[in-house]
Amino acid sequence: MSSRILQYLMQEGDCQDNEKFFSYVTEHAPKYGEEIMTLAQQLKQEGGLAIMQSSVLNMLKKGLTPVEIIDFTGFDKKEVIEIIKANTEDKDIKI
C-alpha cells in the first residue's frame, strides 16, 4: 500500500475526518504506519500552503503591497513573491 493509494482513498471516499481515517488504517495495517504519518504531514503542509496562498492573494486584492503583506503576516519573503508571480501578471516584483 502506498501513500498514493491512501490519498486516493481519502479523496475519492470523501473522507470527512482525516485523523479518524489515519487512526483506523494505522490500527488495522500497522506496517504502513510510517507511510501514513508521512502522508498526514504532507496533507497538513499542503493545507498550510493553500491557506498562505489564499491569504496573500486576498491581501493583494485589498490593495496591500507585497512589503505590507510580508510585514503584516510574517510570511517568508521568497514564498510571498513566488505566490504573487505564479498567480498574477506581475512577474517583476520589487521589494
Side-chain angles (χ1 to χ4, degrees):
M1 183 180 300
S2 73
S3 60
R4 287 182 182 252
I5 292 171
L6 293 171
Q7 194 166 13
Y8 174 81
L9 290 172
M10 284 177 41
Q11 290 171 342
E12 295 303 313
D14 195 26
C15 182
Q16 300 296 318
D17 186 345
N18 290 344
E19 285 187 39
K20 191 173 183 179
F21 173 80
F22 289 129
S23 293
Y24 179 84
V25 175
T26 302
E27 181 180 327
H28 290 86
K31 69 180 184 177
Y32 299 109
E34 189 173 314
E35 282 186 54
I36 292 167
M37 291 312 298
T38 301
L39 178 59
Q41 291 167 344
Q42 180 184 354
L43 291 172
K44 283 182 182 179
Q45 183 179 11
E46 287 173 5
L49 291 175
I51 291 168
M52 180 185 207
Q53 180 176 348
S54 176
S55 298
V56 168
L57 296 176
N58 283 333
M59 289 182 208
L60 276 176
K61 287 179 188 174
K62 298 282 186 188
L64 274 72
T65 67
V67 171
E68 291 170 327
I69 293 169
I70 293 164
D71 288 345
F72 181 72
T73 63
F75 291 159
D76 181 74
K77 176 181 172 180
K78 183 178 177 183
E79 290 176 342
V80 170
I81 292 169
E82 287 175 10
I83 290 169
I84 294 169
K85 284 182 177 180
N87 293 281
T88 68
E89 299 294 319
D90 191 358
K91 304 299 181 201
D92 188 38
I93 300 168
K94 304 284 189 226
I95 295 187

